[in-house]
Amino acid sequence: MGRADEDLHDDLLARVSRSYFVDGMRQNDIAAAEHLSRPSVSRLLAEARSRGVVQFRIGPPVDRVQELETELRRRTGLRRCLVANGKPRALYGNSSRLGYVAARYLESRLSGEVLLGVASSRSLSSVPDSMAAAHRPDLTVVDLLGCLPGGRPVGSGKAGEAGRAPDGGGPNTAELIAVRLGASFRALPAPFVYRSGSARDAALDSEEVRESLELGQRCDLALVGIGSMQRFDGTGVYSPVPAEELAGLASQGAVGHLCGHFLRADGSLIDAGHAPFLLGIGADELRHIPQRIAVAAGRHKVAPIAAAISGGMISELVTDNTTAAALLALLHEIRK
């Protein structure tokens, strides 16, 4: 083969390789386009790999930032830290990159589990849409926070299609996740926020509410959001706790909240006498769940995330690269 023929052959290798590995063409279609036989295309692809025309690189997922994950895990002592990168949302359609990474991680942790607790919130709203449809009749998704049902009878059973708060305020993320997983859903059919302790105690008179709370405590895994003091969304309903009450809690040292529990910077809890009257899983009960995955991102979430880590409220964190970098900077300042 002369030099000219070699150059033509190398050009053919490059075209065939690009058609197959980049453009996604089938070998039969490449053969037709290049006037080759199907076995010839196969041999060309093998040659392209052996000569380095096509090179494969194995590395961390491109939607995550491994360096930040490693450093964050080292500095926090958390079991796992996942950091989504800042690439455009359009790469995953309508779902956010954070939601995509959180969904993939959650799916990887559910093998063999039978009880998944979810603290519905806006922080988790991007997770259900990013999950792959599944069939998990062996799994039950449990509300960890009071959340009135929308568009279905009160009680447990197969997840319905609605999954919306009756006032239209926001999604019941727990039910939406159950729908995506083809799992059963156990509601905690009561409001989350109450004006008085007596009103909350009256809700606890319901046997169904008590049983749901007890089931939540037995979960193998919990998925939670972390909130700042800018607002308190409850289970997706915008600001059910007034701004002036949040300001009062901040004056008590609160920097954020998780599952309705307000946290100081050192991770300690604001005394219940100064906090809103809420119905959901207790802080101690949450800590006893083996896996507690938090999904949170944003500059206002940095101090609350640090507090949740200090208080032992979470065992794993999914965040984005900007929040991770800011969290590492805060931890560095705290430990000076």
Side-chain angles (χ1 to χ4, degrees):
M1 182 183 293
R3 180 61 181 269
D5 290 335
E6 289 177 351
D7 290 343
L8 289 173
H9 183 74
D10 289 348
D11 289 343
L12 178 62
L13 278 180
R15 286 200 311 273
V16 169
S17 298
R18 178 171 294 276
S19 296
Y20 186 73
F21 290 104
V22 177
D23 299 333
M25 290 179 64
R26 296 179 301 179
Q27 292 189 25
N28 284 336
D29 294 333
I30 297 171
E34 296 288 349
H35 306 290
L36 300 168
S37 67
R38 165 68 171 70
S40 294
V41 171
S42 181
R43 285 193 295 271
L44 286 167
L45 290 172
E47 181 185 349
R49 290 193 294 270
S50 66
R51 292 181 57 194
V53 176
V54 174
Q55 301 179 36
F56 296 98
R57 185 181 68 175
I58 307 299
V62 296
D63 44 55
R64 289 165 43 191
V65 185
Q66 187 180 43
E67 295 82 1
L68 285 174
E69 292 181 350
T70 301
E71 182 64 10
L72 203 54
R73 182 179 177 186
R74 185 183 71 82
R75 295 285 295 276
T76 62
L78 292 175
R79 189 178 304 158
R80 289 289 301 276
C81 295
L82 283 80
V83 177
N85 66 27
K87 291 186 178 180
R89 292 179 62 185
L91 289 176
Y92 292 106
N94 294 325
S95 62
S96 73
R97 183 60 64 96
L98 181 68
Y100 177 86
V101 171
R104 296 287 81 74
Y105 183 60
L106 175 62
E107 290 165 350
S108 74
R109 308 307 296 173
L110 286 176
S111 177
E113 308 294 7
V114 296
L115 287 176
L116 165 64
V118 177
S120 297
S121 71
R122 292 183 191 273
S123 297
L124 304 179
S125 60
S126 63
V127 175
D129 288 342
S130 300
M131 298 185 74
H135 180 63
R136 286 293 307 274
D138 58 314
L139 178 70
T140 298
V141 181
V142 184
D143 264 335
L144 295 181
L145 308 178
C147 191
L148 288 170
R152 58 172 171 75
V154 172
S156 59
K158 271 301 193 188
E161 292 295 331
R164 298 281 166 180
D167 61 359
N172 181 341
T173 315
E175 185 170 8
L176 294 177
I177 288 175
V179 170
R180 294 298 292 173
L181 292 174
S184 296
F185 174 63
R186 181 61 180 258
L188 182 48
F192 182 40
V193 182
Y194 295 82
R195 294 184 181 275
S196 67
S198 59
R200 179 186 58 191
D201 293 343
L204 290 170
D205 286 339
S206 164
E207 182 178 357
E208 186 174 9
V209 168
R210 292 196 307 272
E211 288 178 350
S212 292
L213 283 170
E214 291 169 0
L215 189 64
Q217 297 172 20
R218 302 202 304 270
C219 284
D220 309 291
L221 187 154
L223 182 69
V224 303
I226 299 176
S228 72
M229 298 306 293
Q230 285 196 314
R231 67 186 191 188
F232 184 94
D233 286 345
T235 51
V237 181
Y238 182 74
S239 292
V241 175
E244 58 270 21
E245 193 167 348
L246 289 177
L249 288 162
S251 70
Q252 297 288 327
V255 298
H257 50 86
L258 187 156
C259 290
H261 305 291
F262 287 83
L263 302 165
R264 298 184 181 90
D266 63 0
S268 61
L269 297 174
I270 299 293
D271 182 83
H274 298 288
F277 298 101
L278 306 173
L279 192 151
I281 190 167
D284 288 338
E285 288 79 8
L286 177 63
R287 290 190 187 100
H288 280 94
I289 293 177
Q291 299 179 78
R292 305 173 306 283
I293 303 171
V295 180
R299 62 187 181 90
H300 299 295
K301 301 291 183 76
V302 175
I305 292 170
I309 294 170
S310 296
M313 301 292 285
I314 63 175
S315 62
E316 290 127 293
L317 173 66
V318 183
T319 189
D320 63 20
N321 58 329
T322 303
T323 308
L327 179 57
L328 285 169
L330 175 62
L331 294 174
H332 178 72
E333 289 297 318
I334 291 173
R335 294 172 185 177
K336 271 187 177 179

